[in-house]
Amino acid sequence: MWGGRFAEGPAAVMREINASIPFDKRLWQQDLAGSRAHVRMLAKQGIVTGPDSSAILAGLDRIEGEYIANGVNEDLALEDIHMATEHRLAELIGPAAGRLHTARSRNDQVATDFRLWVRDAIDAVDAGLASLQKALVARAGDHADAVMPGFTHLQVAQPVTLGHHLMAYYEMIRRDRSRFQDARARLNECPLGSAALAGTGFPIDRHATAAELGFARPTDNSLDSVSDRDFALDYLMAATQCSLHLSRLAEEFVIWASQPYGFVSLPDAYSTGSSIMPQKRNPDAAELVRGHSGRIAGAMISLTMTMKGLPLAYSKDMQDDKPPVFEAHDLLALSIAAMTGMVETTSFVTAKMRAAAEAGFSTATDLADWLVRVAGIPFREAHHITGTVVRLAERHNSALVDLPLEKLREIDERIDGRVFEALSIDASVASRSSHGGTAPQQVRARIADARKALGMD
Ligand code: ARG
């Protein structure tokens, strides 16, 4: 395709290092879409004749059928998906194939294809994340008032509800979806027609190709158009942040499934056994989601390092943009699907969660708050009194709510029998009724908002 000024062919190793077809074959659909839009525009503008453009379009249709039936021909000599398709077109329709590349370069071609691919990837991720949110919201609805310990430092802190905990992840995913949508909006400008770097003298219509490919508008600077990979980095950064959330949820499942916790029983469908220990039910899917997040972050760093310091405009380094994006996308899509399945099918052992919430003096803050509210004691002093009560309870191996009133009054005589109402874990969660708090009534309200936003009702 470019051999005119060369006397000799490339060395085998040159061919190998240069070729991107083993991975950029994934762009074949986008490449065909871009070529179709381009040739239609060329014909409309009178740059190629009607018969030539019809022959090209018919050839592209045949190639599409061949790719669907047999996959893309991965001959390294054809270098990349753009050349492979054009080469096949020439075999099919002869010299008219050579007119397709008028007013186009592989630089604007690949920039366009890759934007289209990332746009599709964003749409697929968004659909997956919506399903994950629906699963979280549905399970939160089932457990809006199931009390569990809330943790800080992984130490029992205050009682919360399982519904509240699951809805925390709904919020993270809501932000992820909005980050992907931001990325999509910025991505949605069409570089096609920027040609190699400087634009073209042919009377092309960039608005027409942009519109046909579903872009909001053409890009405004040809140099930037062929050297910009921000859209791929935006995708990777959003994917990284999303995968952090999936990894945190996965980690909670790993902890909750461990025997000392026993908060969940993972379904067979998302667990594995051990080849030596017959009793094992390992949370491998959750662990792989946790592991994959590291690889996704690695992909983001990989492209960041590729782009750092590249002068305008195109450099071949930029061919390395695709493997990290493809890898991250595959890992993210799989992680989203696995987490969705786990959220949908895990059984929550709410009795264990409840017992753990009872066990860790989790209503100590409620006692301090009661001393402030009912007995009028300043919070710092109430905190100190409560600490003494906790020490007593620890000594007697008793829950706060089971301590005898006389013992409490020995510590501070302003305490009276009404205090016990504040010390139950149900009373504790019910009292946390500020907006966004863990009170079941608040959690239900947030679930109702979420169901509406997700069109679940
Ligand atoms: N396979 C190339 C890539 O992915 C296409 C662009 C080639 N452009 C060039 N000037 N050699 O980056």
Side-chain angles (χ1 to χ4, degrees):
M1 298 278 172
W2 39 252
R5 60 141 21 249
F6 290 84
E8 280 174 37
V13 69
M14 177 59 204
R15 203 162 259 182
E16 193 177 337
I17 195 172
N18 202 34
S20 53
I21 187 87
F23 53 86
D24 70 15
K25 64 183 180 188
R26 281 184 77 164
L27 298 175
W28 71 263
Q29 278 168 304
Q30 291 74 18
D31 197 63
L32 288 174
S35 289
R36 284 173 174 137
H38 185 65
V39 75
R40 277 193 200 109
M41 179 278 292
L42 292 177
K44 213 182 82 205
Q45 298 299 105
I47 301 166
V48 301
T49 65
D52 280 348
S53 102
S54 301
I56 290 170
L57 287 167
L60 293 174
D61 286 349
R62 263 195 68 183
I63 293 172
E64 177 173 33
E66 290 175 1
Y67 286 170
I68 290 169
N70 312 317
V72 176
N73 175 6
E74 260 188 65
D75 182 355
L76 295 192
L78 296 175
E79 210 177 306
D80 59 25
I81 183 62
H82 323 295
M83 308 256 261
T85 300
E86 200 183 319
H87 175 82
R88 181 65 187 138
L89 188 64
E91 286 178 351
L92 290 172
I93 69 166
R99 301 199 182 275
L100 170 59
H101 214 52
T102 313
R104 185 176 78 168
S105 149
R106 278 185 295 156
N107 295 349
D108 59 335
Q109 188 178 356
V110 72
T112 305
D113 293 0
F114 200 24
R115 279 187 194 236
L116 289 171
W117 194 93
V118 173
R119 196 174 67 186
D120 289 344
I122 289 173
D123 293 344
V125 165
D126 186 67
L129 291 177
S131 300
L132 175 55
Q133 284 184 310
K134 285 180 188 165
L136 288 164
V137 169
R139 300 309 303 275
D142 297 341
H143 299 291
D145 37 25
V147 181
M148 66 178 284
F151 297 90
T152 59
H153 314 272
L154 204 53
Q155 304 276 320
V156 171
Q158 292 177 346
V160 296
T161 68
L162 175 55
H164 194 49
H165 195 116
L166 293 172
M167 287 300 286
Y169 285 94
Y170 164 83
E171 293 294 331
M172 295 177 225
I173 306 297
R174 191 173 61 75
R175 292 193 295 276
D176 290 328
R177 289 182 69 190
S178 112
R179 262 185 289 275
F180 280 114
Q181 288 313 313
D182 289 349
R184 193 188 196 286
R186 264 193 304 280
L187 162 155
N188 210 24
E189 297 179 351
C190 186
L192 193 60
S194 300
L197 71 163
T200 175
F202 289 100
I204 59 171
D205 181 353
R206 292 193 57 208
H207 292 273
T209 43
E212 176 167 346
L213 294 168
F215 288 106
R217 64 192 78 84
T219 51
D220 282 340
N221 182 297
S222 62
L223 284 168
D224 178 49
S225 303
V226 294
S227 48
D228 167 38
R229 293 295 181 271
D230 286 3
F231 63 90
L233 282 167
D234 276 351
Y235 174 82
L236 289 172
M237 290 178 190
T240 298
Q241 209 154 350
C242 178
S243 77
L244 294 187
H245 297 146
L246 300 178
S247 176
R248 294 181 74 175
L249 180 56
E251 168 67 359
E252 303 222 86
F253 274 64
V254 170
I255 294 174
W256 292 356
S258 70
Q259 282 74 17
Y261 274 78
F263 284 7
V264 297
S265 160
L266 291 178
D268 287 356
Y270 289 93
S271 312
T272 56
S274 155
S275 54
I276 175 169
M277 297 166 283
Q279 84 282 11
K280 281 289 218 169
R281 171 197 283 279
N282 293 328
D284 290 32
E287 289 171 335
L288 285 164
V289 169
R290 192 177 60 186
H292 286 356
S293 70
R295 292 172 63 191
I296 291 169
M300 184 272 284
I301 296 295
S302 164
L303 184 55
T304 304
M305 293 299 104
T306 295
M307 296 309 294
K308 176 189 82 58
L310 288 187
L312 298 184
Y314 179 87
S315 299
K316 198 65 175 255
D317 317 39
M318 289 168 70
Q319 178 165 282
D320 281 344
D321 57 358
K322 286 168 277 306
V325 172
F326 292 156
E327 186 191 26
H329 179 68
D330 292 343
L331 294 173
L332 183 64
L334 206 50
S335 300
I336 293 169
M339 278 324 300
T340 304
M342 275 185 274
V343 169
E344 278 167 349
T345 57
T346 291
S347 45
F348 295 104
V349 187
T350 50
K352 274 265 200 156
M353 290 183 169
R354 194 175 170 83
E358 303 270 15
F361 310 115
S362 66
T363 56
T365 314
D366 299 271
L367 172 55
D369 286 350
W370 185 90
L371 292 169
V372 172
R373 219 169 356 97
V374 182
I377 298 172
F379 184 78
R380 279 290 150 230
E381 190 187 346
H383 187 287
H384 187 80
I385 296 167
T386 304
T388 316
V389 172
V390 168
R391 197 138 43 92
L392 174 80
E394 216 161 24
R395 237 185 3 256
H396 288 76
N397 198 17
S398 159
L400 293 179
V401 74
D402 296 326
L403 287 170
L405 182 59
E406 327 75 82
K407 291 277 179 208
L408 292 174
R409 290 179 62 88
E410 274 170 28
I411 292 172
D412 196 297
E413 61 185 14
R414 288 168 291 184
I415 299 175
D416 64 44
R418 291 171 296 173
V419 76
F420 293 109
E421 283 159 36
L423 293 183
S424 84
I425 56 176
D426 294 300
S428 171
V429 295
S431 74
R432 298 281 182 320
S433 58
S434 51
H435 180 91
T438 200
Q441 143 256 338
Q442 269 299 319
V443 173
R444 286 212 184 81
R446 300 290 76 78
I447 290 172
D449 294 343
R451 292 184 69 92
K452 203 157 147 215
L454 293 168
M456 284 172 81
D457 297 313

